[in-house]
Amino acid sequence: MSNAVRDSRVMVPQLPPRYVSRPRLLRVLDSFADRPLTLLSAGPGAGKTVLLADWVRHGDAQVAWLNATPADADSRRFWPLLESALRAGHGAERGPPAAVPRAAGIDVVQALLSRVPESATQLVIIDDAHVLTNSDVLADLDSLIRGGQPGLRLILAARSDPLLPLHRYRLAGQMHELRAADLAMTQGEIADVLTARGITLAARDFGILAARTEGWAAGVQLSAMRMEGTEYPADFVSELALDPGSIGEYLINEVLREQPEAQRKLLIETSFLHEVTGPLADAVTGMTGCGDMLAGLARDNGFVIPLDAAGERYRYHELFAEILRYLLRRQYMRQSIRGLQERAIAWFEGSGDLGNALYWAVRADNRHHVARLLARGGFVHAFVHRQDLSGLGLRELLPLRPPRGATAARTAEFAVASSVIETVFADADSAPGLLNRLSAQKSEDAPATPELLVTSDLVELRLGQKAFNALAVDAAARRLLGVNGDMPVPVVPGLPAAVLLAQASTRLWHGRHEDASMLLDEALAEARRDDMPGLELEVLAMMAFVSSYWSRTNHADDAAQRAHALRRHKNLPIPPALELAAAARSLIAGDLDGQTRAIQQALPAVVGTDPGVAVALVLGQASAPLIRGEVNEARTALQAVGHRIPPLLAVMRDMMLADTDTSLGRPRAALRLLRNYRGSEFAILTAMARLRAHLALNDVDSAQDCIRSVLTTPSAQVGRFILVEAMLYDAQIAQLSGDPGRAVEVLVRALEVAQGEIILPFLRVNDVFAELLVRHPIVGGRWPVPVPRRPAGAAAEPAVAASRDLPEPLTPRELTILRLLTTSMSTAEIADELCLSVNTVKTHLAAIYRKLPASRRREAVLRARQLELI
């Protein structure tokens, strides 16, 4: 028995105590057996070594494990060490093949590998392969990989990509890869680690832990070890610790100290930034070549994460960034940190990124710079690029006063900047008063320069939007677009499109959708001219909503398709208006679940958008419950709508409230609520809600008046949806009046207008016409929702029974044609509907007239009604 101590470099490492296996990644490694090379490339602590050690224990292949060190990079040390690993992998009982000489070099290694049976698999795992920099070793490894040795699987685990021709292996299909993102722990795996150590966290605390660690295995394990056995483990979730055994100590020792001085300076001095680029880092640090350093750090898995395929934008891992910011605060004076921020502000401003310049000016508490940026382009930039300024901390800067002895121009900057901040935080209740006050101040002491005038006019436009004041919006829009010609407007790419879009939405919420459509066409052209895809997407989204609301389904679908294509091409977020359009389209189509999903998806992104869209989404939350009969839920949603809302949305809210009153048995209250719209341009919109209340009161004449007003009054407010609703209620009243023939005729017209696109009104009256549709299967066949079946044991169709009472009963085909005679369809149209020839239909008509008897069409219909055939 040998007492020799085995070399730890050629031994499979032991798993740490309470190690939690990761079956997801074990299965991935199993699936990689079809290629000779597998590369695990990720930074320190990613879990590469323990994953491979666990995987080896789950398999039955021969394993040669080599944990390389920098001293082993030389070929005279590397190949003998790998030979030892191969011999150790065979086991003492098997021993190495006797015929192989114990000489050093790749030839011996290849000889050992050649003795592995073709049916067996030889795993060669080289850990810390990034230390292998010797060109001879790398060349020999390359030949080994491409040599096609049967049964050989080479697995390299490295902190950065080894200096091998990896691109060739990818093209040749010889390599599988696992990167840091693949090795990051899932939420389920993080939960398993915590459970193994008896740690329970609330959902919020667990979410914070997962976000901070970003699935970094060492971060999760060290956090769990720190929380284990403590009474309140959640207290450690957000803690930044640097003591022995902490995450901070690990990152400083394993990552930061390994970097050269220039890289450490770069990382620490730019750590306050959320994103960093090479030019920005050059400006902040005063160094050159920062772009190359960032690319190298990202390539070496140094906790620098690229954010784009071009490798121009980067961010730091969340935990690493916390350590860097701690070192920044400890090593630099506060004034020095502010100096770094000022350099970033200057770089952003010089690059035209006024949004980020403003953000960092606020962070640096530089009120003078904030005032200048807001007044001279920053507010306009945020408006055009749809940036929400409410989260910057601007409110804390109020009151924003100019310094003593400030010039008139500087004083004007501060005044305009103050009005901007007040506008950012204004709501529907405060905006009208603020608008009046600022308008009075503006007339007394108007800003002198075009740049300040543009910001001042934009303040008026935004306040007009929030106050739902169409006159104020139009007046400001005319000045911003240069329509008045009072003063040349500075050219700001995207501003015309954004102003036209605001003007269009305001017109829309005031019920002027035709004006809105024309303005949206202009806005779309301007957005494309200025190459502003974000604005173009918003315009298309609003176009889709306008068309959906007025039941122009083809236009709505076209605009939505173009919007989604643009969004995918430019990787843009979905604007709330596009989800609102999808919700409207789903509602019209009777898809209540789809409508609810679209509304829920839009709500999180609604902050800072068009205030009308925000109100419309809240109203949309009440639509589906109201239609389903969940009246209390609908009323709760409607109560969340404020009192000051634009006219069109106020009508919609009151119509829905009236319907809830009618559903709760209070139709008179519903009529009182809608009385205020009598004689207004929106009166016709309330007709269907009033009709439902009148029907609840059995006031058929008043209900008929409501229908007549919709069907006979030309109005831009009436779209196909309302027309279809009116027709269906007209058919219902005809049925109640004992005129089923006329009811069928009106139903056919309603189906023609709906064109299979407007379904919700049919869904709401489905039970009302169930019996009639069963008696008229042709109409029932065109009905867009399933017709309720006849209850079991119900009487047979009376038309068939009556037909049998005739001296010569009508055939089923003749009954079908007889029912179509009640419509306005011609003989040729009936033939087309039934896929018959015109002559065949004429033959059936002759038989119908003879059997009833009747001499012409009108007489036949009258006789059929007397006999209850139709």
Side-chain angles (χ1 to χ4, degrees):
M1 180 175 179
S2 174
N3 293 321
V5 178
R6 293 184 62 187
D7 191 336
S8 63
R9 292 174 298 173
V10 296
M11 295 172 59
V12 178
Q14 295 295 315
L15 293 175
R18 282 176 288 186
Y19 173 73
V20 176
S21 188
R22 304 174 70 183
R24 170 180 66 92
L25 293 176
L26 298 180
R27 289 192 296 270
V28 171
L29 289 171
D30 287 339
S31 70
F32 284 178
D34 60 328
R35 296 183 185 180
L37 175 62
T38 297
L39 172 64
L40 282 69
S41 181
K48 305 180 294 295
T49 301
V50 290
L51 171 65
L52 290 173
D54 187 29
W55 179 63
V56 165
R57 284 168 169 78
H58 280 81
D60 56 1
Q62 293 181 164
V63 179
W65 185 290
L66 170 58
N67 183 25
T69 67
D72 302 323
D74 186 86
S75 59
R76 289 170 298 180
R77 292 177 60 104
F78 175 78
W79 292 112
L81 192 60
L82 182 56
E83 176 193 351
S84 297
L86 284 166
R87 294 181 185 278
H90 282 267
E93 62 280 343
R94 276 190 222 171
V100 178
R102 297 188 56 80
I106 187 175
D107 293 338
V108 176
V109 170
Q110 288 178 325
L112 284 169
L113 293 173
S114 67
R115 298 301 180 90
V116 178
E118 291 190 12
S119 60
T121 298
Q122 173 67 62
L123 293 176
V124 176
I125 299 176
I126 302 177
D127 199 5
D128 286 339
H130 56 278
V131 304
L132 302 179
T133 57
N134 182 279
S135 58
D136 292 337
V137 171
L138 292 170
D140 288 340
L141 276 176
D142 177 45
S143 65
L144 199 62
I145 293 167
R146 291 191 288 167
Q149 178 72 42
L152 171 64
R153 281 190 68 187
L154 178 61
I155 300 178
L156 305 179
R159 291 188 174 187
S160 59
D161 286 356
L163 302 177
L164 289 165
L166 302 181
H167 62 287
R168 293 180 184 172
Y169 305 151
R170 292 189 188 103
L171 289 173
Q174 294 176 315
M175 179 176 72
H176 285 296
E177 299 173 74
L178 283 176
R179 298 280 173 176
D182 306 307
L183 295 170
M185 285 187 164
T186 64
Q187 291 204 356
E189 290 167 341
I190 295 174
D192 290 341
V193 171
L194 297 179
T195 301
R197 294 185 178 272
I199 300 166
T200 302
L201 292 177
R204 177 181 175 277
D205 296 319
F206 180 86
I208 294 173
L209 176 66
R212 288 184 74 230
T213 60
E214 298 187 40
W216 178 46
V220 173
Q221 293 286 355
L222 290 170
S223 297
M225 291 167 61
R226 194 167 188 81
M227 290 186 281
E228 185 179 14
T230 61
E231 186 176 0
Y232 301 107
D235 292 347
F236 297 90
V237 168
S238 302
E239 181 187 58
L240 175 62
L242 294 167
D243 54 324
S246 68
I247 295 174
E249 181 197 45
Y250 185 96
L251 286 172
I252 289 174
N253 290 335
E254 293 292 326
V255 181
L256 201 56
R257 284 182 181 164
E258 296 293 318
Q259 303 300 335
E261 177 61 31
Q263 275 84 340
R264 288 202 299 272
K265 174 181 170 66
L266 163 67
L267 292 167
I268 293 172
E269 292 190 356
T270 59
S271 60
F272 67 93
L273 296 164
H274 305 310
E275 292 184 12
V276 62
T277 65
L280 173 58
D282 286 345
V284 171
T285 63
M287 299 190 297
T288 58
C290 289
D292 292 337
M293 284 191 275
L294 287 167
L297 287 165
R299 187 171 53 251
D300 294 343
N301 296 305
F303 289 79
V304 176
I305 302 167
L307 297 176
D308 58 0
E312 296 177 349
R313 298 165 44 242
Y314 300 89
R315 72 172 180 88
Y316 303 146
H317 187 284
E318 183 65 30
L319 289 173
F320 191 44
E322 289 182 24
I323 297 298
L324 294 173
R325 287 193 289 269
Y326 164 79
L327 294 174
L328 177 66
R329 292 190 299 271
R330 193 181 73 174
Q331 297 176 10
Y332 290 73
M333 299 293 290
R334 184 171 183 178
Q335 194 62 31
S336 299
I337 296 174
R338 185 167 178 175
L340 296 173
Q341 293 174 329
E342 292 290 351
R343 292 180 198 170
I345 296 166
W347 185 86
F348 281 123
E349 189 174 2
S351 303
D353 188 351
L354 300 185
N356 268 312
L358 181 60
Y359 175 87
W360 289 111
V362 174
R363 299 277 80 74
D365 196 28
N366 189 333
R367 299 188 176 212
H368 293 247
H369 212 149
V370 169
R372 184 167 63 80
L373 284 169
L374 284 175
R376 297 189 180 276
F379 184 51
V380 175
H381 182 277
F383 176 69
V384 169
H385 293 274
R386 322 318 262 175
Q387 294 173 341
D388 180 20
L389 299 181
S390 63
L392 296 188
L394 290 171
R395 195 195 295 271
E396 286 70 29
L397 301 181
L398 292 175
L400 196 60
R401 296 192 179 96
R404 290 183 179 180
T407 63
R410 194 79 175 115
T411 301
E413 278 182 358
F414 271 81
V416 172
S418 292
S419 68
V420 167
I421 296 174
E422 290 180 290
T423 300
V424 167
F425 296 102
D427 56 20
D429 292 324
S430 62
L434 185 58
L435 180 62
N436 292 334
R437 177 169 64 81
L438 293 179
S439 296
Q441 291 176 352
K442 183 177 178 181
S443 61
E444 294 172 1
D445 188 20
T449 66
E451 203 171 25
L452 294 181
L453 277 172
V454 167
T455 303
S456 184
D457 288 336
L458 185 57
V459 164
E460 184 176 333
L461 182 138
R462 285 296 288 151
L463 285 174
Q465 273 192 290
K466 293 186 175 187
F468 305 113
N469 186 329
L471 293 177
V473 170
D474 285 343
R478 283 195 298 271
R479 292 193 297 273
L480 287 165
L481 296 171
V483 175
N484 295 342
D486 299 334
M487 182 177 286
V489 180
V491 176
V492 180
L495 181 60
V499 169
L500 287 165
L501 176 58
Q503 199 176 9
S505 67
T506 303
R507 297 278 183 92
L508 170 65
W509 304 127
H510 281 72
R512 300 174 184 174
H513 68 279
E514 293 177 340
D515 292 350
S517 295
M518 289 188 291
L519 288 167
L520 287 172
D521 288 338
E522 293 181 48
L524 185 63
E526 290 288 348
R528 288 173 173 169
R529 183 177 65 81
D530 288 342
D531 190 23
M532 301 292 293
L535 283 172
E536 182 182 349
L537 177 60
E538 280 201 52
V539 174
L540 288 170
M542 188 59 77
M543 284 179 162
F545 172 69
V546 172
S547 296
S548 294
Y549 184 80
W550 266 270
S551 308
R552 298 199 297 262
T553 51
N554 289 335
H555 290 85
D557 290 345
D558 176 65
Q561 288 169 7
R562 286 189 288 160
H564 283 295
L566 177 64
R567 179 185 63 81
R568 288 190 294 267
H569 179 61
K570 297 292 185 178
N571 193 28
L572 298 168
I574 300 177
L578 190 57
E579 295 286 12
L580 186 61
R585 188 73 179 86
S586 296
L587 188 66
I588 291 169
D591 180 6
L592 302 184
D593 291 337
Q595 188 261 5
T596 301
R597 284 194 302 271
I599 292 291
Q600 294 302 321
Q601 288 167 0
L603 285 173
V606 77
V607 176
T609 62
D610 177 351
V613 170
V615 177
L617 286 169
V618 177
L619 290 175
Q621 287 183 290
S623 299
L626 183 58
I627 294 167
R628 292 191 181 103
E630 299 163 355
V631 180
N632 291 330
E633 183 180 342
R635 183 172 284 276
T636 300
L638 290 171
Q639 288 171 345
V641 180
H643 296 292
R644 192 183 293 274
I645 61 176
L648 179 63
L649 297 175
V651 176
M652 293 173 59
R653 176 200 60 197
D654 290 345
M655 288 165 52
M656 295 169 76
L657 286 171
D659 279 338
T660 62
D661 281 334
T662 300
S663 298
L664 293 171
R666 300 195 295 261
R668 295 188 189 281
L671 293 172
R672 283 195 300 271
L673 178 62
L674 300 176
R675 190 179 299 157
N676 294 331
Y677 295 103
R678 190 179 299 166
S680 73
E681 61 179 313
F682 298 114
I684 200 165
L685 284 180
T686 68
M688 294 300 98
R690 287 186 282 115
L691 176 145
R692 286 186 280 270
H694 287 307
L695 286 180
L697 292 168
N698 294 318
D699 185 355
V700 176
D701 290 340
S702 296
Q704 191 69 61
D705 289 340
C706 294
I707 293 170
R708 193 175 299 110
S709 68
V710 171
L711 298 181
T712 62
T713 305
S715 171
Q717 303 295 341
V718 176
R720 278 198 302 146
F721 185 90
I722 297 178
L723 284 175
V724 171
E725 268 197 309
M727 289 178 179
L728 291 175
Y729 283 117
D730 193 20
Q732 182 178 349
I733 291 174
Q735 182 174 248
L736 290 171
S737 302
D739 192 352
R742 183 174 175 278
V744 170
E745 186 175 349
V746 175
L747 288 180
V748 170
R749 289 206 304 271
L751 288 166
E752 291 169 352
V753 173
Q755 297 178 358
E757 299 166 342
I758 300 172
I759 297 174
L760 180 62
F762 296 92
L763 185 65
R764 299 178 77 167
V765 298
N766 203 27
D767 292 338
V768 173
F769 297 112
E771 184 178 345
L772 192 65
L773 293 172
V774 171
R775 291 171 56 195
H776 297 272
I778 296 299
V779 180
R782 297 174 61 188
W783 201 253
V785 293
V787 178
R789 293 188 176 185
R790 179 188 305 279
E797 185 178 328
V800 175
S803 175
R804 288 172 180 167
D805 291 337
L806 290 171
E808 185 179 0
L810 297 177
T811 65
R813 176 67 77 186
E814 289 165 354
L815 280 169
T816 299
I817 293 174
L818 178 61
R819 291 177 184 124
L820 292 177
L821 291 180
T822 64
T823 71
S824 59
M825 297 172 70
S826 66
T827 302
E829 288 172 335
I830 292 174
D832 185 63
E833 173 72 18
L834 300 178
C835 299
L836 301 173
S837 69
V838 174
N839 287 334
T840 300
V841 172
K842 288 180 177 179
T843 299
H844 286 303
L845 286 174
I848 291 169
Y849 294 160
R850 175 174 55 80
K851 293 177 180 180
L852 284 178
S855 58
R856 59 183 185 274
R857 179 172 183 159
R858 183 173 181 179
E859 188 178 337
V861 171
L862 180 61
R863 176 68 174 150
R865 285 175 177 165
Q866 291 171 346
L867 295 171
E868 296 186 357
L869 294 175
I870 55 177

